[in-house]
Amino acid sequence: MKFAILGKPFAEDAAPAIQALLDDLAARQAEVRIVESFRTYLDNTLRLPANTTSFRRGDSLRGTNFVLSIGGDGTLLDTVTYVGALQIPILGIHTGRLGFLATVTPEGIGQAIDALYKGHFVFDDRSLIRVDTDPDVFGGLNFGLNEFSILKGDSASMIAVHTYIDGEYLNSYWADGLVVATPTGSTGYSLSCGGPVLVPQTNNFIIAPVCPHNLNVRPLVVSNQSVLSFEIEGRSSNYMLSLDSRSISVDANVQMAVRRESFCARLVKLNHVNFLSTLRSKLNWGLDRRNPSSVLG
């Protein structure tokens, strides 16, 4: 079995579980590759198996059976950009904060690895959002799992985002910005803008204004078979484009179009984990301080 590992520095109390993971993979004679920056961190923190190798962004992961993402949801979003169109299954190990996507706790790592070897899992394919710009501003990494955002570049004044669906004019959003989210991203930035929660397999985008000037302008759900395009107007000549955690300042002449990417992010879902239970747990649904016996399920 071949594994690739990406991750971010973790709290000291997670170190024994990560060491146990590396020891378990070594005992199973797995072939392990670790992204170079994370391997440097692990070299100073844990004991690495002798046959461990490293890789960098741009190196092909073809032939890898599973990719392990160790960190929070941001780490998993970054992991998706390393995998790209190869659609290698990704298992998220949660050593971060919220953890909608990285659902395996440090205590459950051993059980999760055993499930991979026994085949006790299913694939959870998540749609991606693709952003085409002229000129290219994302250096070829023009896809994301959560959302694409257009934001004002300073604190001086709002911007107007003129929005079109399949070439037809939708609206001009006078706001601090606009978020276009996937179903996976519906529990992220879009949620804080008042957007709805979508179940992952919904074939839609959410268009959500950020701090709109007109309060009657509400988030809108549209088909992800549509192509969205935008024109920006404002006092400033620059604004921000953000694709998941990657942001860049651009000028107002950049042309952009958003559509569904042709490939998916393939997440590993263990048999005891599902989106609805994660939703109840992370958003504290069903938790009632007036009733100590209430449970989240």
Tab-separated table of all heavy atoms in Angstrom, residues 57 61 67 77-88 90 128 141 143 261 263-266:
chain	number	residue	atom	x	y	z
A	57	ARG	N	5.335	20.162	-4.062
A	57	ARG	CA	4.241	20.517	-4.971
A	57	ARG	C	4.729	20.423	-6.419
A	57	ARG	O	5.814	20.871	-6.744
A	57	ARG	CB	3.744	21.934	-4.680
A	57	ARG	CG	2.552	22.308	-5.560
A	57	ARG	CD	2.049	23.698	-5.247
A	57	ARG	NE	1.468	23.818	-3.925
A	57	ARG	CZ	0.244	23.413	-3.593
A	57	ARG	NH1	-0.521	22.812	-4.495
A	57	ARG	NH2	-0.220	23.584	-2.363
A	61	LEU	N	1.725	12.331	-7.739
A	61	LEU	CA	1.341	11.339	-6.723
A	61	LEU	C	0.687	10.120	-7.372
A	61	LEU	O	0.079	9.309	-6.676
A	61	LEU	CB	0.382	11.969	-5.711
A	61	LEU	CG	0.947	13.113	-4.862
A	61	LEU	CD1	-0.124	13.651	-3.925
A	61	LEU	CD2	2.160	12.651	-4.065
A	67	VAL	N	-4.165	9.393	0.376
A	67	VAL	CA	-3.480	10.572	0.880
A	67	VAL	C	-4.035	10.877	2.265
A	67	VAL	O	-5.261	10.966	2.433
A	67	VAL	CB	-3.664	11.786	-0.046
A	67	VAL	CG1	-2.978	13.011	0.545
A	67	VAL	CG2	-3.107	11.490	-1.432
A	77	LEU	N	-8.109	21.266	2.463
A	77	LEU	CA	-8.319	22.081	1.259
A	77	LEU	C	-7.028	22.191	0.454
A	77	LEU	O	-7.037	22.121	-0.779
A	77	LEU	CB	-8.815	23.472	1.641
A	77	LEU	CG	-10.192	23.570	2.303
A	77	LEU	CD1	-10.503	25.016	2.673
A	77	LEU	CD2	-11.273	23.002	1.406
A	78	ASP	N	-5.907	22.361	1.158
A	78	ASP	CA	-4.606	22.426	0.490
A	78	ASP	C	-4.247	21.082	-0.125
A	78	ASP	O	-3.690	21.006	-1.220
A	78	ASP	CB	-3.538	22.874	1.484
A	78	ASP	CG	-2.221	23.238	0.809
A	78	ASP	OD1	-2.253	23.815	-0.287
A	78	ASP	OD2	-1.153	22.933	1.378
A	79	THR	N	-4.572	19.999	0.575
A	79	THR	CA	-4.290	18.654	0.080
A	79	THR	C	-4.977	18.409	-1.264
A	79	THR	O	-4.403	17.774	-2.153
A	79	THR	CB	-4.743	17.611	1.108
A	79	THR	OG1	-4.012	17.798	2.329
A	79	THR	CG2	-4.512	16.197	0.606
A	80	VAL	N	-6.193	18.910	-1.415
A	80	VAL	CA	-6.933	18.735	-2.670
A	80	VAL	C	-6.147	19.297	-3.844
A	80	VAL	O	-6.149	18.727	-4.939
A	80	VAL	CB	-8.324	19.398	-2.563
A	80	VAL	CG1	-9.009	19.469	-3.917
A	80	VAL	CG2	-9.201	18.645	-1.575
A	81	THR	N	-5.411	20.390	-3.647
A	81	THR	CA	-4.649	20.998	-4.744
A	81	THR	C	-3.445	20.141	-5.124
A	81	THR	O	-2.952	20.233	-6.245
A	81	THR	CB	-4.183	22.413	-4.379
A	81	THR	OG1	-3.231	22.370	-3.308
A	81	THR	CG2	-5.358	23.281	-3.972
A	82	TYR	N	-2.916	19.343	-4.206
A	82	TYR	CA	-1.822	18.430	-4.526
A	82	TYR	C	-2.320	17.230	-5.333
A	82	TYR	O	-1.623	16.714	-6.198
A	82	TYR	CB	-1.148	17.923	-3.245
A	82	TYR	CG	-0.159	18.875	-2.615
A	82	TYR	CD1	-0.592	19.914	-1.798
A	82	TYR	CD2	1.214	18.736	-2.835
A	82	TYR	CE1	0.320	20.788	-1.216
A	82	TYR	CE2	2.123	19.608	-2.253
A	82	TYR	CZ	1.671	20.629	-1.447
A	82	TYR	OH	2.578	21.488	-0.874
A	83	VAL	N	-3.527	16.777	-5.032
A	83	VAL	CA	-4.078	15.591	-5.694
A	83	VAL	C	-4.615	15.938	-7.075
A	83	VAL	O	-4.380	15.228	-8.057
A	83	VAL	CB	-5.182	14.966	-4.821
A	83	VAL	CG1	-5.870	13.825	-5.561
A	83	VAL	CG2	-4.594	14.466	-3.500
A	84	GLY	N	-5.376	17.030	-7.162
A	84	GLY	CA	-5.904	17.473	-8.440
A	84	GLY	C	-6.759	16.435	-9.142
A	84	GLY	O	-7.568	15.728	-8.519
A	85	ALA	N	-6.560	16.316	-10.447
A	85	ALA	CA	-7.406	15.453	-11.270
A	85	ALA	C	-7.155	13.967	-11.048
A	85	ALA	O	-7.911	13.139	-11.560
A	85	ALA	CB	-7.191	15.791	-12.750
A	86	LEU	N	-6.114	13.603	-10.288
A	86	LEU	CA	-5.861	12.181	-10.023
A	86	LEU	C	-6.952	11.555	-9.166
A	86	LEU	O	-7.145	10.340	-9.188
A	86	LEU	CB	-4.503	12.005	-9.317
A	86	LEU	CG	-3.258	12.364	-10.141
A	86	LEU	CD1	-2.004	12.217	-9.285
A	86	LEU	CD2	-3.166	11.471	-11.380
A	87	GLN	N	-7.666	12.383	-8.398
A	87	GLN	CA	-8.768	11.919	-7.544
A	87	GLN	C	-8.349	10.788	-6.614
A	87	GLN	O	-9.101	9.840	-6.371
A	87	GLN	CB	-9.979	11.515	-8.382
A	87	GLN	CG	-10.594	12.667	-9.141
A	87	GLN	CD	-11.927	12.330	-9.803
A	87	GLN	OE1	-12.587	13.194	-10.348
A	87	GLN	NE2	-12.335	11.091	-9.776
A	88	ILE	N	-7.142	10.866	-6.066
A	88	ILE	CA	-6.700	9.890	-5.074
A	88	ILE	C	-7.521	10.092	-3.812
A	88	ILE	O	-7.732	11.227	-3.377
A	88	ILE	CB	-5.200	10.065	-4.763
A	88	ILE	CG1	-4.376	9.918	-6.046
A	88	ILE	CG2	-4.728	9.074	-3.705
A	88	ILE	CD1	-2.937	10.363	-5.889
A	90	ILE	N	-8.715	10.815	-0.183
A	90	ILE	CA	-8.108	11.605	0.889
A	90	ILE	C	-8.798	11.281	2.203
A	90	ILE	O	-10.038	11.331	2.295
A	90	ILE	CB	-8.227	13.111	0.603
A	90	ILE	CG1	-7.543	13.471	-0.722
A	90	ILE	CG2	-7.647	13.930	1.747
A	90	ILE	CD1	-7.823	14.898	-1.180
A	128	LEU	N	-16.070	20.323	-7.122
A	128	LEU	CA	-15.121	21.417	-6.998
A	128	LEU	C	-15.585	22.606	-7.821
A	128	LEU	O	-16.334	22.449	-8.790
A	128	LEU	CB	-13.727	20.978	-7.471
A	128	LEU	CG	-13.089	19.798	-6.746
A	128	LEU	CD1	-11.813	19.366	-7.464
A	128	LEU	CD2	-12.784	20.146	-5.300
A	141	LEU	N	-3.507	26.560	-10.340
A	141	LEU	CA	-4.306	25.942	-9.273
A	141	LEU	C	-5.625	26.698	-9.169
A	141	LEU	O	-5.924	27.363	-8.176
A	141	LEU	CB	-3.547	25.982	-7.944
A	141	LEU	CG	-2.284	25.127	-7.867
A	141	LEU	CD1	-1.589	25.302	-6.522
A	141	LEU	CD2	-2.608	23.657	-8.105
A	143	PHE	N	-8.772	25.689	-9.029
A	143	PHE	CA	-9.935	24.950	-8.542
A	143	PHE	C	-9.895	24.911	-7.023
A	143	PHE	O	-8.840	25.038	-6.394
A	143	PHE	CB	-9.971	23.532	-9.120
A	143	PHE	CG	-8.738	22.708	-8.801
A	143	PHE	CD1	-8.677	21.925	-7.656
A	143	PHE	CD2	-7.636	22.727	-9.639
A	143	PHE	CE1	-7.551	21.175	-7.358
A	143	PHE	CE2	-6.503	21.987	-9.355
A	143	PHE	CZ	-6.459	21.204	-8.205
A	261	GLU	N	-15.858	22.247	-11.733
A	261	GLU	CA	-14.679	21.577	-12.268
A	261	GLU	C	-15.063	20.207	-12.827
A	261	GLU	O	-16.050	19.592	-12.394
A	261	GLU	CB	-13.612	21.447	-11.163
A	261	GLU	CG	-12.305	20.804	-11.576
A	261	GLU	CD	-11.652	21.497	-12.758
A	261	GLU	OE1	-12.000	21.122	-13.893
A	261	GLU	OE2	-10.797	22.378	-12.544
A	263	PHE	N	-13.470	17.394	-12.571
A	263	PHE	CA	-13.166	16.276	-11.671
A	263	PHE	C	-13.595	16.635	-10.254
A	263	PHE	O	-13.991	17.778	-9.986
A	263	PHE	CB	-11.674	15.921	-11.716
A	263	PHE	CG	-10.749	17.081	-11.452
A	263	PHE	CD1	-10.371	17.418	-10.155
A	263	PHE	CD2	-10.245	17.836	-12.513
A	263	PHE	CE1	-9.527	18.482	-9.913
A	263	PHE	CE2	-9.387	18.902	-12.277
A	263	PHE	CZ	-9.028	19.228	-10.980
A	264	CYS	N	-13.540	15.649	-9.373
A	264	CYS	CA	-14.012	15.820	-7.999
A	264	CYS	C	-12.872	15.634	-7.005
A	264	CYS	O	-11.796	15.155	-7.352
A	264	CYS	CB	-15.112	14.810	-7.675
A	264	CYS	SG	-16.622	14.995	-8.656
A	265	ALA	N	-13.137	16.005	-5.773
A	265	ALA	CA	-12.277	15.623	-4.651
A	265	ALA	C	-12.887	14.370	-4.045
A	265	ALA	O	-14.068	14.360	-3.684
A	265	ALA	CB	-12.207	16.739	-3.616
A	266	ARG	N	-12.088	13.327	-3.955
A	266	ARG	CA	-12.598	12.038	-3.456
A	266	ARG	C	-12.168	11.860	-2.000
A	266	ARG	O	-10.997	11.587	-1.709
A	266	ARG	CB	-12.084	10.897	-4.332
A	266	ARG	CG	-12.457	9.506	-3.841
A	266	ARG	CD	-12.393	8.503	-4.978
A	266	ARG	NE	-13.478	8.742	-5.931
A	266	ARG	CZ	-13.625	8.070	-7.075
A	266	ARG	NH1	-12.745	7.150	-7.418
A	266	ARG	NH2	-14.632	8.335	-7.877
